[in-house]
């Protein structure tokens, strides 16, 4: 039972990184500046590497013979466990930066906590990922500051992006009843103590950026139950097209 729950937990992480990576890849050739084009692509590649590790571990632990490619390309929308925040459209550049900034702060706390896992593979994965996340966090924070404290138009677009995405943040550190077994076994920490710290960091930086915390409202959740927004299906249609058209193709 523990292996099945841990595999599902790793799918949640791996799927989130994979979908967010794909969203950032959509900026290739379309970013406002060449430097940003390269930066977003590099962050996307880091996330893709994290996704590969997490999905490989998940497949190995579940013991059903599914490797990272089979998990990525041959599961349906309802079988994906990624955070709803990751699948939201890029919108304009400001909204993409807001989404990345929210996720980077989440990743920083998540991987710092998972680095203390008594599972050696999970701990090693978290420690390596945390090094990459620190760069991502510097990048998104610098652009949040530059945009929000720049022109009025840029400030308004950042605020709009924050208002659009905030309703997807409630599920960031949620644990299922089954995952609480992993907490008791010391495999993962109790992530439910992290939202307060995450929110404190977010509120502090929003004050510095002269932005308003969106009012609490109709939050959306359902990642770990496979309940997604309408956007994920379109992402998977593009992501999985080649493998589904030419199954078992090798390069």
């Amino acid at each position: 039972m523990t292996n099945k729950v841990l595999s599902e937990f790793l799918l949640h992480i791996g799927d989130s990184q994979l979908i967010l990576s794909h969203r950032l890849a959509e900026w290739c050739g379309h970013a406002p500046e060449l430097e940003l084009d390269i930066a977003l692509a590099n962050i996307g590649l880091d996330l893709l590497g994290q996704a590969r590790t997490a999905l490989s571990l998940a497949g190995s632990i579940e013991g059903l013979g599914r490797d990272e490619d089979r998990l990525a390309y041959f599961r349906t929308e309802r079988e994906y466990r990624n955070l709803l925040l990751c699948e939201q459209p890029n919108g304009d550049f400001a909204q993409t930066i807001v989404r990345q900034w929210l996720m980077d702060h989440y990743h920083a706390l998540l991987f710092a906590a998972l680095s203390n896992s008594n599972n050696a593979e999970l701990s090693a994965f978290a420690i390596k990922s945390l090094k990459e996340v620190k760069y991502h966090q510097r990048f998104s924070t610098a652009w949040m500051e530059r945009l929000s404290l720049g022109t009025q138009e840029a400030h308004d677009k950042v605020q709009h992006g924050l208002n659009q995405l905030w309703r997807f943040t409630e599920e960031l550190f949620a644990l299922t009843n089954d995952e609480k077994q992993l907490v008791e076994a010391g495999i993962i920490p109790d992530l439910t103590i992290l939202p307060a710290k995450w929110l404190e960091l977010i509120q502090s930086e929003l004050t510095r950026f002269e932005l308003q915390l969106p009012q609490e409202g109709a939050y959306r959740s359902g990642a770990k139950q496979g309940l997604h927004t309408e956007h994920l299906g379109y992402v998977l249609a593009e992501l999985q097209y080649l493998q589904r058209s030419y199954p078992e193709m090798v390069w």
Side-chain angles (χ1 to χ4, degrees):
M1 181 63 176
T2 300
N3 280 353
K4 182 178 185 301
V5 177
L6 179 56
S7 176
E8 284 286 324
F9 179 76
L10 285 164
L11 283 178
H12 169 64
I13 295 177
D15 289 348
S16 296
Q17 308 306 72
L18 178 62
I19 299 302
L20 186 57
S21 170
H22 188 82
R23 280 301 192 201
L24 293 181
E26 292 175 343
W27 276 106
C28 285
H30 300 283
E33 300 173 356
L34 179 59
E35 183 179 357
L36 291 175
D37 200 299
I38 295 171
L40 292 172
N42 282 334
I43 293 172
L45 285 174
D46 286 343
L47 294 170
L48 182 61
Q50 293 167 16
R52 293 187 62 188
T53 300
L55 293 179
S56 294
L57 282 175
S60 175
I61 291 170
E62 74 172 3
L64 298 178
R66 298 192 295 180
D67 61 10
E68 62 188 82
D69 291 331
R70 187 152 295 277
L71 287 169
Y73 296 126
F74 294 99
R75 281 183 298 145
T76 65
E77 180 181 342
R78 289 297 297 269
E79 293 175 298
Y80 260 71
R81 297 293 182 260
N82 61 279
L83 289 163
L84 302 188
L85 180 58
C86 297
E87 68 196 47
Q88 299 312 302
N90 288 331
D92 56 26
F93 178 67
Q95 182 164 313
T96 291
I97 290 298
V98 171
R99 185 188 60 203
Q100 191 63 38
W101 177 73
L102 293 171
M103 286 297 298
D104 288 342
H105 279 70
Y106 160 73
H107 286 147
L109 292 175
L110 174 70
F111 289 128
L114 293 180
S115 65
N116 296 316
S117 170
N118 62 18
N119 181 295
E121 290 181 309
L122 180 56
S123 176
F125 164 59
I127 290 171
K128 181 179 183 296
S129 298
L130 188 58
K131 295 177 182 178
E132 297 170 335
V133 168
K134 288 180 178 178
Y135 161 71
H136 304 166
Q137 197 171 25
R138 287 197 302 271
F139 173 84
S140 62
T141 300
W143 272 101
M144 283 288 290
E145 180 176 18
R146 184 177 299 181
L147 293 172
S148 62
L149 299 179
T151 65
Q152 186 61 49
E153 181 182 5
H155 180 277
D156 291 345
K157 287 186 175 183
V158 173
Q159 184 66 61
H160 176 73
L162 186 63
N163 295 342
Q164 290 291 106
L165 297 171
W166 188 253
R167 65 185 182 275
F168 301 107
T169 60
E170 188 180 46
E171 67 175 357
L172 290 182
F173 296 99
L175 289 177
T176 66
N177 288 331
D178 287 340
E179 287 170 347
K180 292 175 183 177
Q181 300 174 32
L182 301 179
V183 176
E184 294 171 359
I187 298 174
I188 65 172
D190 184 2
L191 301 181
T192 59
I193 66 175
L194 296 179
K197 186 173 183 181
W198 179 85
L199 184 58
E200 181 182 356
L201 291 169
I202 292 296
Q203 286 180 313
S204 175
E205 292 197 352
L206 288 180
T207 299
R208 182 164 65 89
F209 300 150
E210 300 178 4
L211 296 167
Q212 299 298 315
L213 187 71
Q215 294 183 349
E216 294 184 11
Y219 284 111
R220 292 286 305 273
S221 60
K224 293 181 179 179
Q225 293 75 42
L227 303 175
H228 296 280
T229 65
E230 67 273 20
H231 305 297
L232 181 62
Y234 293 101
V235 174
L236 294 182
E238 184 175 76
L239 176 69
Q240 299 177 338
Y241 172 77
L242 197 59
Q243 272 292 344
R244 288 185 177 273
S245 299
Y246 303 96
E248 310 305 329
M249 176 69 71
V250 294
W251 308 97

